[in-house]
Amino acid sequence: MTAAQPLPTLEITALEKRFGETQVLRSIDLNVRNGELVFVIGPSGSGKSTMLRCCNRLEEPTSGAIHVSGKPMLGIPRKELDRMRLQVGMVFQGFFLYPHLTALKNVTLAQRKALKRPRAEAEARALEMLDKVGLKHKADAMPSELSGGQQQRVAIARALALDPKVMLFDEPTSALDPELVGSVLKVMRDLREGGMTMIVVSHEMQFAREAADRVVFMDGGVIVEEGPPEEIFGNPKSDRLKAFLSRVSGEAA
């Protein structure tokens, strides 16, 4: 007998999403293994961000199933949903920091509210996570005193402080000046090396080539093709992926 395969950290099954008459996601199936970095690419409007937002119920799926470490995200009572959401950290294009709170307090607040951690424990965890993203020395800085890249790293620290099982990144560098992108990608690279399970939606193709375990190409609300980076970028099979990569490389030139 072979040993049972461990459950995926995130399991998406037959996921569909409609906005009125418009179907944005069409029967999406995607499993993300523990410690895997899955990079999602595709043209604007292909459903990438909607899929991520469905994973922690920021958008309500029309049908399908989502499981985190074997436990359902759909069809559960509100209190259980709130607990499950803590296991799915999310980093957005915008930073959404409280402008009147220091970096330390921004990272501490969610722990106090959601996890009911005592102040001293929450602050110790916040300092640990700020150190992890290279910003412990900025703990007392206000968001207005931080660059965009630093603010995004504080947002990552805030999500990490809640001890999620999986991290979702939705275009985390698209609002940043080009020279600030590298600092955020370095944090994401470090998280990958530390074994964090991640799904990343981004146009940072070089990062996908270098850091992803698997690349998923979406178009028209479906997963068209997926595979290791060298296969997706070096030997695309579908005409839709070939056209997308040709367009992206043309824009980058």
Side-chain angles (χ1 to χ4, degrees):
M1 292 178 63
T2 58
Q5 291 295 314
L7 288 170
T9 299
L10 179 67
E11 185 177 11
I12 302 170
T13 307
L15 182 66
E16 306 218 344
K17 175 63 182 177
R18 292 183 180 85
F19 293 103
E21 297 298 312
T22 303
Q23 186 164 4
V24 180
L25 298 177
R26 305 169 186 270
S27 197
I28 297 290
D29 291 320
L30 180 64
N31 289 346
V32 183
R33 298 183 298 274
N34 183 45
E36 187 178 27
L37 193 165
V38 172
F39 206 98
V40 184
I41 63 174
S44 297
S46 59
K48 308 182 302 294
S49 293
T50 300
M51 180 183 72
L52 282 197
R53 292 171 68 86
C54 284
C55 287
N56 65 356
R57 300 275 301 275
L58 287 175
E59 294 287 357
E60 283 297 318
T62 304
S63 61
I66 299 168
H67 290 80
V68 177
S69 297
K71 296 180 179 178
M73 286 289 290
L74 306 181
I76 56 178
R78 179 63 194 223
K79 186 175 286 189
E80 179 63 18
L81 174 60
D82 289 343
R83 283 197 294 268
M84 289 297 294
R85 273 181 167 154
L86 294 175
Q87 299 185 35
V88 186
M90 190 154 187
V91 176
F92 301 89
Q93 177 177 336
F95 320 127
F96 302 117
L97 301 180
Y98 290 105
H100 62 291
L101 298 179
T102 64
L104 177 65
K105 289 181 178 177
N106 264 284
V107 182
T108 300
L109 182 62
Q111 300 178 68
R112 300 288 314 280
K113 295 281 189 183
L115 300 179
K116 309 301 181 188
R117 279 179 178 159
R119 182 184 300 277
E121 182 183 343
E123 288 186 351
R125 180 65 172 161
L127 285 171
E128 181 185 352
M129 291 302 99
L130 285 171
D131 189 39
K132 193 179 188 74
V133 301
L135 288 175
K136 188 175 181 179
H137 65 294
K138 293 288 188 179
D140 294 326
M142 305 299 286
S144 61
E145 299 172 315
L146 301 173
S147 70
Q150 289 171 333
Q151 290 185 60
Q152 188 62 291
R153 285 149 64 194
V154 171
I156 293 172
R158 178 179 57 191
L160 290 173
L162 297 174
D163 305 322
K165 296 277 182 62
V166 58
M167 287 281 289
L168 311 177
F169 291 85
D170 189 9
E171 299 284 4
T173 60
S174 63
L176 302 179
D177 292 335
E179 66 269 22
L180 301 177
V181 168
S183 64
V184 174
L185 295 183
K186 180 184 182 303
V187 169
M188 295 169 66
R189 216 177 248 110
D190 290 345
L191 289 177
R192 178 195 183 278
E193 291 173 2
M196 173 59 73
T197 306
M198 296 187 282
I199 303 182
V200 179
V201 169
S202 175
H203 290 94
E204 300 289 343
M205 296 297 166
Q206 189 59 39
F207 180 71
R209 289 174 181 268
E210 295 171 356
D213 295 296
R214 186 159 38 116
V215 177
V216 172
F217 171 62
M218 289 183 65
D219 193 15
V222 300
I223 293 177
V224 178
E225 198 168 331
E226 63 179 292
E230 59 271 19
E231 192 175 291
I232 292 296
F233 293 109
N235 187 29
K237 295 179 174 58
S238 69
D239 291 339
R240 289 157 81 180
L241 177 55
K242 290 175 184 176
F244 172 75
L245 292 175
S246 175
R247 188 163 63 250
V248 169
S249 62
E251 291 171 355

